[in-house]
Structure formats: structure tokens, C-alpha cells
Amino acid sequence: MNLTHAPLRAATGAFILNSGLTKLGADETTAQQLHGFASTAYPQFKDIEAGRFVKMVGIGEVALGTALLTPKVPSAIVGTALAGFGVGLLGLYARVPGLRQPGSIRPTEDGVPIAKDVWLVGAGATLGLQGFLNGTKRAARRTARKVGSAAETAHDALPF
């Protein structure tokens, strides 16, 4: 993990981990509300029992939050997961009626708590891209050193 990623990973990781732990302790009323909200945007969730659905979401959030807080998990991987999570939340914003002003992408008062999750997509994309590009640069440097070393060895082996 790049040290400059630590503040972003810590802030998002702690927030998402807390959200997941809260969902794991959700009561039936909260589970019904969250399930109904998600099922409006993603009808494929309608057939899943509300308590089970919220538990699955909670486990996913705990896993993502923990991965963000774990320095050994590469930023390219955890950033991609974070961006995907954020895109899923923005899907709620785009599909649930009443969250956007009519004919606009601007949020209503009710839509602001979901629309603000766009920062998750940006944070995830930043971590993912920087992690991938930094890894690519490191791999290129290692390859260049190996090629240089092999060329030097081959040169030294020449009989003349």
C-alpha cells in the first residue's frame, strides 16, 4: 500500500466497516425498509428474505471495510471493489423515485444521502488507478533491471 493511500483507506474503511456492523445488528423493521428500498432499484432482490438480504449486505460491507483497513490488500484491488460498491449505491440513486429532481440528475432533499455516495466511486477509482499504475511502474523497473542484468551477463560471456 502506498502511504499516501492510508488516510483515504482509513476514512472510507472505518465508515463502511461501521455501516456493515450496524446492518448485521439491524432489527426486522430496519431490514424491511432497507430491503424494500434496494428491491425498488434492483428487482432481483425481491425474492430474498429481508433479514437475509440485510445480513448479506452487512457482511459485504464488513469485508470491504476490513479490506480497506488492511495495508496488505493492494490498493488496485480494494479500490476496484470500493468503486463497484459506490456504483451500486448510485444505482439506487438513479432508479428509486423521488431521489432526483424531475428531469434532472440533481438530488432532492431525500436524495442527498444517496447522491453523496459518488465520493465512494471517486475514492475507489483513485485507489484503483494509482494502485494499478504504481504496480505497473514497479513491474517495468524490475523488468528493466533484469534485462539489463541479462544483457551484462551475455556481454561478459562473449569470447572477445
Side-chain angles (χ1 to χ4, degrees), residues 50-83:
R52 183 168 184 251
F53 170 78
V54 172
K55 187 172 188 167
M56 289 176 4
V57 172
I59 289 169
E61 287 182 350
V62 167
L64 178 57
T66 300
L68 282 158
L69 294 169
T70 305
K72 289 285 185 186
V73 179
S75 290
I77 292 170
V78 77
T80 301
L82 179 60

Side-chain angles (χ1 to χ4, degrees), residues 82-104:
L82 179 60
F85 177 69
V87 167
L89 292 173
L90 290 180
L92 292 171
Y93 175 71
R95 296 175 176 158
V96 173
L99 298 182
R100 292 174 289 113
Q101 295 176 12
S104 174

Side-chain angles (χ1 to χ4, degrees), residues 2-155:
N2 186 320
L3 187 58
T4 61
H5 296 173
L8 182 58
R9 288 180 66 160
T12 57
F15 189 88
I16 292 169
L17 177 61
N18 180 64
S19 178
L21 292 171
T22 300
K23 283 181 181 67
L24 290 176
D27 60 21
E28 187 59 32
T29 302
T30 302
Q32 292 287 340
Q33 290 171 340
L34 290 171
H35 181 256
F37 186 62
S39 294
T40 300
Y42 299 106
Q44 60 269 34
F45 295 146
K46 285 187 192 234
D47 294 335
I48 301 174
E49 186 267 323
R52 183 168 184 251
F53 170 78
V54 172
K55 187 172 188 167
M56 289 176 4
V57 172
I59 289 169
E61 287 182 350
V62 167
L64 178 57
T66 300
L68 282 158
L69 294 169
T70 305
K72 289 285 185 186
V73 179
S75 290
I77 292 170
V78 77
T80 301
L82 179 60
F85 177 69
V87 167
L89 292 173
L90 290 180
L92 292 171
Y93 175 71
R95 296 175 176 158
V96 173
L99 298 182
R100 292 174 289 113
Q101 295 176 12
S104 174
I105 62 167
R106 295 182 58 210
T108 61
E109 191 172 316
D110 290 339
V112 170
I114 302 295
K116 67 164 180 50
D117 289 335
V118 70
W119 65 272
L120 294 173
V121 177
T126 297
L127 288 171
L129 287 170
Q130 284 185 348
F132 175 75
L133 294 174
N134 288 341
T136 302
K137 281 193 262 182
R138 280 191 300 274
R141 282 194 296 267
R142 280 194 305 266
T143 301
R145 280 194 300 272
K146 287 180 183 179
V147 168
S149 176
E152 189 175 303
T153 302
H155 180 270

